Amino acid sequence: MLHLCSNLHFSIKTWSFLFIFFILAFFTTLNYHHNSPPTSLFYFNTFISSATNYTLATYLRHLTLHPHLAGTTPSLHTALYVKSHFQSLNLQTHVTNYTVLLSYPLISSVILHFPNGSVLSLALDEPGFSSSGVVKPYHAYSPSGSAYGKPCFLNFGREKDYIALGTNGVNVKGCVGIVRRGGGLSRNEMVEKAAARGVEAVLMFTEGEFEGGVERGTVMSGLGDPLSPGWGGVENGEKLRIDDPLVMQRFPSIHSLPISMKSAEIILKSLEGPEMPYEWRKSLRCSTSGRLGPGPIMINFTYQGEKKMATVHNVFAVIRGSQEPDRFVLLGNHRDAWTYGAVDPNSGTAALLDIARRYALLMRLGWNPRRTIILCSWDAEEFGMIGSTEWVEQNLVNLGSKSVAYLNVDCAVQGPGFFPSTTPQFDNLLTEITKKVNDPDSEGMTLYERWTAANRGIKIQRLSGVDSDFAPFLHHAGVPSVDLYYGRDFPVYHTAFDSYNWMVNFGDPFFQRHVAVTGVWGLLALRLAEDPILPFNYLPYAAELQDYTHILSKLLEGRNISLHPITAATQELAAAAKETLGEAKKLKEDKATDEHTALKRRILNDQLMFAERGFLDAEGLQGRPWFKHMVYGPRNDGESELDFFPGIANAISKLSGGGEQNAAIQHEIWRTARAIQRAAHALKGELIT
């Protein structure tokens, strides 16, 4: 019945689309007869009205017919499907290939030895998928090897968790650590923190996974191909040796595997030893003995994998701008998946393909954007944003001088609720666009109305995390960025159950959430590509920096540390933001088309575009120099209370204390202040004299 209703719904939507299309074509013809070409508003409305859930569902169905892990033949077929789609729309299409180091599993086993002599081999494959072509659960770039030891529960594997274990008299050295995902740490951080305390191997599980699903993932640190750090991994280009220290430091020093929550429960229910802290027991969603271990059972752990060179494929469609072809608006989504990838990432891929279809429709109606639009389909994101990072590194100069914005969608639809993340100059534009898109779950409401009602106001997250393809654009190249999601979490993340069936039964049965995300994404790009004056407003950025400084002042209260450099620089940015808003208003009201006015618009747009680059520091973050953004970026310690000013957060998290630490914090404050000041001067378009 569900599928019958769904098909009926698609049919109605399809006929509505055809009706609207012919009406629009009719009025377009009338407009041309009266020598008045369609306006931007006409094209924006056409973009919205040409949405169909049927096409989105069709794209997703095709993309998820087979698992398509990066570097495999099915992954190549998916790349060719995207390329063929772009070409069928007569879009300028090309593919860029990179030869990179990927990681795949060969053999894995986890055998439990009980005190009574019985033995149990844990099932590591997901039920029903042993011969489906789905890669067995593993951690990419985990070293091969074996371990034999008593299991011990490490909770999230955070610093405070190890302190709690020590307080309870638990010595984790030589143990096999059982750790649950979460707590703000990446997989790499969990494994490395365990290794630093003498843990022999790590078994990682995710609570609430769907029907015995197992969460795959990478445990490599950093972004991009480990053999070409800082430059594009082109074929026949420079490659470091795999045993080079720069390469080896990217990989964990101990072995790890993901297991299902069901398998974790078998181990946790067998543990003896001290009682778990109450807070741990209260938050656990799986059955346990309530004890920490170690033992008394023993675990025999074996993992053998292979790291090998593979070719990955980025696919692009380019719509050349008519007036400013050297200014780029980029829309990106990764295409590779651990398994079938219906949510992650191909809900986003389907949206990208539909945006291409709708832009091609606008082009047939006579539209050509002012600025160039580039649709980007990335490969090997799951291994560490490899496809996008290699491309950014190879094109760093042009991206830095010509990119207006990067708009990312990874998991377009995970469930209910709109969850955008942006750099703050997008806040007003994003809010305005959500008023133009219908909410998929509330009839008669716009997305803006439902979003603000659910959050009691506008709630936009920021982009300090390193969890999708916006990271190389923002953290390395300083390109203003957006990341859009519908839904927050989903129980089939990185499992074999992330399939088309799960989407139509749970995630988005009628594909209306797909329609909503596609509408916001496509309209954002249209505004950025079409508006004569870029719709950036840096006042929210200055306000956000003021809020960060207030939080920081409370955290540093009582220390001999001054935040005045950041306060003064932020005031300078706020003044520049007000000044550019005034100039933008004047130029919007000025309808002149002479070269002088066009040059003034171009100059102001450059100021608005380049201001974000000012937040970059050439030396990068201490210990992680590839990451250069001083406002948003990863912290060295995932447990830090700050998710902004990463350089300052890293200095605070160091345990040295005293005057030496205060000096390090003060230095990072000055570095951050100088970055804000650079952004302010870029926004004003002035040299410091």
Side-chain angles (χ1 to χ4, degrees):
M1 180 62 71
L2 174 64
H3 294 293
L4 179 61
C5 293
S6 180
N7 289 336
L8 177 61
H9 191 73
F10 290 159
S11 299
I12 293 171
K13 293 288 291 186
T14 303
W15 283 112
S16 300
F17 162 68
L18 291 173
F19 176 75
I20 292 168
F21 174 77
F22 285 121
I23 291 296
L24 291 170
F26 173 73
F27 281 108
T28 301
T29 304
L30 286 182
N31 279 335
Y32 278 121
H33 280 305
H34 288 86
N35 297 316
S36 55
T39 64
S40 292
L41 180 60
F42 168 81
Y43 291 124
F44 294 172
N45 290 337
T46 303
F47 176 83
I48 286 293
S49 62
S50 61
T52 77
N53 49 0
Y54 175 77
T55 56
L56 284 156
T58 301
Y59 297 146
L60 187 64
R61 180 61 180 153
H62 194 103
L63 288 161
T64 57
L65 288 173
H66 306 284
H68 43 284
L69 184 63
T72 66
T73 300
S75 182
L76 173 60
H77 292 163
T78 310
L80 294 175
Y81 172 69
V82 172
K83 177 186 176 186
S84 175
H85 176 77
F86 289 158
Q87 289 175 327
S88 72
L89 298 170
N90 294 317
L91 300 178
Q92 179 187 334
T93 305
H94 65 273
V95 178
T96 302
N97 298 327
Y98 296 100
T99 305
V100 300
L101 185 71
L102 300 184
S103 165
Y104 304 97
L106 297 174
I107 299 169
S108 57
S109 68
V110 177
I111 301 172
L112 311 185
H113 296 265
F114 293 87
N116 63 5
S118 61
V119 175
L120 174 65
S121 179
L122 289 183
L124 300 180
D125 289 327
E126 290 144 312
F129 293 95
S130 58
S131 59
S132 61
V134 171
V135 69
K136 64 177 65 179
Y138 79 112
H139 283 157
Y141 304 105
S142 172
S144 298
S146 299
Y148 185 72
K150 294 179 179 180
C152 180
F153 182 51
L154 308 178
N155 199 27
F156 295 112
R158 301 167 299 187
E159 198 72 37
K160 61 183 178 182
D161 294 328
Y162 287 106
I163 291 172
L165 287 164
T167 301
N168 282 278
V170 176
N171 181 6
V172 301
K173 188 174 182 179
C175 293
V176 174
I178 313 300
V179 63
R180 55 171 166 163
R181 289 279 287 127
L185 298 185
S186 68
R187 297 179 197 88
N188 173 269
E189 288 172 315
M190 288 178 168
V191 177
E192 287 295 68
K193 284 179 180 287
R197 287 160 179 81
V199 173
E200 290 291 316
V202 170
L203 294 174
M204 201 176 292
F205 72 98
T206 304
E207 295 178 278
E209 287 288 22
F210 185 80
E211 295 184 358
V214 183
E215 181 190 312
R216 297 150 181 82
T218 182
V219 289
M220 181 176 69
S221 68
L223 304 187
D225 177 23
L227 303 187
S228 57
W231 63 90
V234 297
E235 188 176 3
N236 299 321
E238 181 187 6
K239 297 286 184 185
L240 300 181
R241 291 167 52 94
I242 196 169
D243 58 355
D244 188 295
L246 286 175
V247 176
M248 295 302 294
Q249 70 183 14
R250 300 276 300 274
F251 309 141
S253 54
I254 62 172
H255 338 295
S256 66
L257 272 175
I259 58 174
S260 67
M261 187 172 77
K262 182 178 179 180
S263 292
E265 284 181 329
I266 295 172
I267 300 172
L268 295 176
K269 287 194 289 188
S270 73
L271 294 181
E272 297 179 5
E275 285 191 1
M276 288 184 193
Y278 171 72
E279 293 79 10
W280 297 16
R281 295 199 310 272
K282 182 175 67 173
S283 64
L284 272 166
R285 295 163 60 187
C286 60
S287 300
T288 75
S289 66
R291 303 285 175 169
L292 294 168
I297 70 169
M298 301 294 291
I299 292 183
N300 193 341
F301 173 111
T302 300
Y303 173 74
Q304 184 178 345
E306 62 173 345
K307 299 180 180 74
K308 65 179 184 179
M309 302 306 296
T311 301
V312 299
H313 318 276
N314 294 336
V315 185
F316 302 92
V318 179
I319 303 173
R320 191 70 58 186
S322 59
Q323 298 178 49
E324 299 181 67
D326 61 336
R327 293 293 180 261
F328 308 144
V329 176
L330 302 110
L331 297 83
N333 157 266
H334 79 92
R335 188 185 61 252
D336 65 296
W338 287 112
T339 63
Y340 296 97
V343 174
D344 184 6
N346 297 135
S347 59
T349 313
L352 187 71
L353 298 183
D354 201 55
I355 285 174
R357 176 188 66 82
R358 290 154 75 175
Y359 284 175
L361 168 63
L362 300 188
M363 293 171 74
R364 291 196 296 274
L365 295 175
W367 170 74
N368 207 19
R370 170 185 292 268
R371 303 178 186 94
T372 295
I373 294 175
I374 304 176
L375 308 180
C376 313
S377 176
W378 309 116
D379 203 352
E381 185 268 0
E382 298 292 9
F383 287 85
M385 278 63 83
I386 288 179
S388 59
T389 298
E390 299 311 299
W391 191 76
V392 167
E393 290 175 340
Q394 189 179 16
N395 293 280
L396 191 58
V397 172
N398 276 327
L399 288 172
S401 60
K402 300 177 181 179
S403 294
V404 171
Y406 175 70
L407 313 177
N408 189 70
V409 171
D410 190 325
C411 308
V413 179
Q414 304 180 136
F418 182 54
F419 295 92
S421 300
T422 73
T423 44
Q425 69 270 58
F426 284 101
D427 287 3
N428 291 4
L429 174 62
L430 177 66
T431 301
E432 186 180 334
I433 283 173
T434 60
K435 297 175 182 178
K436 309 293 185 185
V437 176
N438 291 330
D439 185 78
D441 299 316
S442 305
E443 190 172 351
M445 294 181 74
T446 65
L447 180 56
Y448 170 81
E449 291 168 331
R450 186 74 189 93
W451 174 40
T452 52
N455 296 287
R456 298 182 180 179
I458 295 169
K459 186 176 182 180
I460 301 175
Q461 302 295 327
R462 300 308 174 201
L463 294 168
S464 281
V466 186
D467 46 22
S468 194
D469 289 301
F470 65 82
F473 286 91
L474 177 62
H475 300 156
H476 190 65
V479 177
S481 296
V482 171
D483 193 32
L484 302 176
Y485 286 83
Y486 221 86
R488 176 169 291 178
D489 298 306
F490 63 108
V492 296
Y493 176 64
H494 287 188
T495 76
F497 298 100
D498 183 8
S499 65
Y500 184 81
N501 285 339
W502 188 87
M503 182 63 77
V504 298
N505 285 296
F506 301 101
D508 192 14
F510 296 105
F511 284 79
Q512 291 300 335
R513 293 168 184 163
H514 282 75
V515 170
V517 175
T518 307
V520 174
W521 196 12
L523 281 180
L524 273 172
L526 284 175
R527 287 290 305 277
L528 291 163
E530 280 292 313
D531 283 18
I533 303 297
L534 288 175
F536 285 158
N537 182 349
Y538 279 86
L539 281 177
Y541 221 132
E544 196 88 342
L545 294 174
Q546 289 170 349
D547 290 343
Y548 296 161
T549 307
H550 181 66
I551 294 169
L552 194 57
S553 68
K554 289 186 174 181
L555 187 64
L556 296 175
E557 194 171 359
R559 294 200 186 201
N560 185 25
I561 294 172
S562 172
L563 291 173
H564 177 72
I566 292 180
T567 302
T570 301
Q571 290 171 349
E572 197 172 346
L573 180 65
K578 289 178 184 177
E579 191 177 315
T580 53
L581 280 179
E583 181 67 16
K585 184 179 179 182
K586 290 178 186 176
L587 287 173
K588 286 176 185 176
E589 293 170 352
D590 188 346
K591 304 302 180 184
T593 58
D594 59 279
E595 288 186 10
H596 178 67
T597 305
L599 181 60
K600 288 171 68 176
R601 292 192 185 103
R602 173 80 168 193
I603 290 171
L604 178 60
N605 283 336
D606 282 354
Q607 292 165 210
L608 292 164
M609 186 176 78
F610 289 133
E612 188 73 46
R613 317 289 198 269
F615 294 117
L616 301 181
D617 184 279
E619 294 180 2
L621 302 181
Q622 295 291 329
R624 306 182 80 171
W626 189 90
F627 295 94
K628 302 191 180 296
H629 205 286
M630 299 303 292
V631 178
Y632 299 116
R635 300 145 294 169
N636 290 343
D637 182 359
E639 301 176 49
S640 171
E641 298 177 43
L642 303 180
D643 59 358
F644 51 84
F645 296 161
I648 299 172
N650 292 340
I652 292 173
S653 68
K654 290 181 179 177
L655 301 177
S656 59
E660 184 179 334
Q661 186 187 32
N662 283 359
I665 295 170
Q666 190 68 65
H667 174 61
E668 291 298 332
I669 287 170
W670 276 110
R671 290 182 73 207
T672 302
R674 287 192 289 271
I676 298 169
Q677 189 178 50
R678 283 193 297 272
H681 283 278
L683 194 55
K684 287 189 290 188
E686 296 177 354
L687 292 173
I688 301 174
T689 58

